[in-house]
Amino acid sequence: MIRRIIEIDQEKCNGCGLCANACHEGAIGMVNGKATLLRDDYCDGLGDCLPVCPTNAITFVEREAAAYDEAAVSLHMQQRKQNTCPGSQSQTLQTNSCPSSQSHTLQATSCSTAAVSSPASQLRQWPVQIKLAPIQAPYFDGAKLLIAADCTAYAYANFHTDFMQGKITLVGCPKLDMVDYSEKLTEILKQNHIHSLTVVRMEVPCCGGIEMAVRKALQNSNQLIPWQVVTISTDGRILDRT
């Protein structure tokens, strides 16, 4: 049958794996370092992978292709879950992508196994860098989102317990990354149900970029989400909550 389906330009693809993370049906995988459409019948033609591609390597085409097979996709996803190593503390959402950008939901360490003198990590997902994070992921659904400047976790001693606990964490440095986070954050806010948003930044002027990106994303997404900004001093104190 002739239908709309994605096409991946191998020359434009940089192998980041973000499209594989965004494909909920597992239609896209990484082959020899490049994103590849594995099976036509796994692709529903909705294009969740298009907005996450940083090189615009993915487009829609009309061509002869097998019909989308929901039953085959369901079986494929069940098999992937069964192949997850028992006892693993993370669930991989997509396989065969670059390890730095491969999306995971992390399980918190049980209090009964964590040493009292060694507090458990409160990180609930991977990746954490804004540049690498997918636009859509199950852990975003109903999430209390924490967007923090890189340096805050080093300056503030109890960052995990006071800020990260119970939240999905995204971090970045607007000065070093030299990108406008607002576009990606806008899509995350648009395409997921975010419960609340907390911004943690340093007192230094350049850190205002991360706050401005969030303000812009909230405006552009037209989402009414309760949010606050916490400012940390260079010596590790909370200076302000607004």
Side-chain angles (χ1 to χ4, degrees):
M1 64 180 296
I2 302 294
R3 71 180 183 94
R4 189 171 77 158
I5 196 167
I6 66 160
E7 183 173 79
I8 304 173
D9 188 328
Q10 296 292 295
E11 292 186 1
K12 289 184 178 180
C13 177
N14 66 0
C16 69
L18 293 177
C19 58
N21 288 337
C23 180
H24 304 299
E25 291 76 24
I28 300 175
M30 304 303 294
V31 178
N32 297 325
K34 296 284 187 176
T36 303
L37 179 60
L38 301 177
R39 284 180 51 165
D40 288 359
D41 59 342
Y42 285 179
C43 178
D44 59 10
L46 295 179
D48 289 340
C49 52
L50 269 70
V52 303
C53 180
T55 62
N56 296 316
I58 307 175
T59 56
F60 280 124
V61 296
E62 296 277 344
R63 65 169 175 82
E64 183 72 31
Y68 173 64
D69 191 337
E70 186 175 356
V73 170
S74 178
L75 179 61
H76 172 61
M77 300 307 290
Q78 289 177 10
Q79 290 173 341
R80 288 176 58 183
K81 288 181 180 179
Q82 291 172 358
N83 290 333
T84 301
C85 177
S88 172
Q89 291 198 349
S90 67
Q91 180 185 359
T92 303
L93 303 181
Q94 296 293 338
T95 58
N96 299 325
S97 62
C98 173
S100 64
S101 61
Q102 194 172 57
S103 186
H104 299 271
T105 299
L106 305 179
Q107 303 298 324
T109 304
S110 171
C111 293
S112 61
T113 59
V116 175
S117 60
S118 180
S121 170
Q122 297 300 319
L123 186 63
R124 301 177 62 189
Q125 97 291 337
W126 186 266
V128 295
Q129 287 290 332
I130 297 173
K131 290 176 65 176
L132 298 178
I135 286 177
Q136 281 188 314
Y139 48 72
F140 281 136
D141 187 30
K144 296 178 180 178
L145 188 60
L146 171 66
I147 300 178
D150 285 343
C151 297
T152 55
Y154 293 94
Y156 189 79
N158 294 324
F159 192 82
H160 276 247
T161 55
D162 289 0
F163 293 113
M164 290 176 60
Q165 191 169 25
K167 296 183 178 68
I168 294 300
T169 302
L170 296 178
V171 303
C173 176
K175 184 173 183 178
L176 296 181
D177 284 345
M178 298 180 65
V179 295
D180 183 2
Y181 295 136
S182 64
E183 293 183 6
K184 188 167 197 178
L185 293 177
T186 296
E187 292 305 311
I188 290 175
L189 297 183
K190 278 184 178 179
Q191 299 187 35
N192 302 277
H193 173 58
I194 303 298
H195 181 270
S196 64
L197 201 159
T198 300
V199 179
V200 183
R201 54 161 293 183
M202 297 298 297
E203 63 176 323
V204 294
C206 62
C207 218
I210 203 162
E211 179 181 345
M212 292 304 298
V214 172
R215 288 182 183 273
K216 187 175 178 181
L218 285 166
Q219 293 173 354
N220 293 343
S221 65
N222 294 317
Q223 301 296 308
L224 297 177
I225 301 172
W227 71 298
Q228 65 169 332
V229 179
V230 181
T231 304
I232 306 296
S233 69
T234 54
D235 60 356
R237 296 174 292 113
I238 294 178
L239 294 179
D240 187 36
R241 290 180 185 265
T242 57

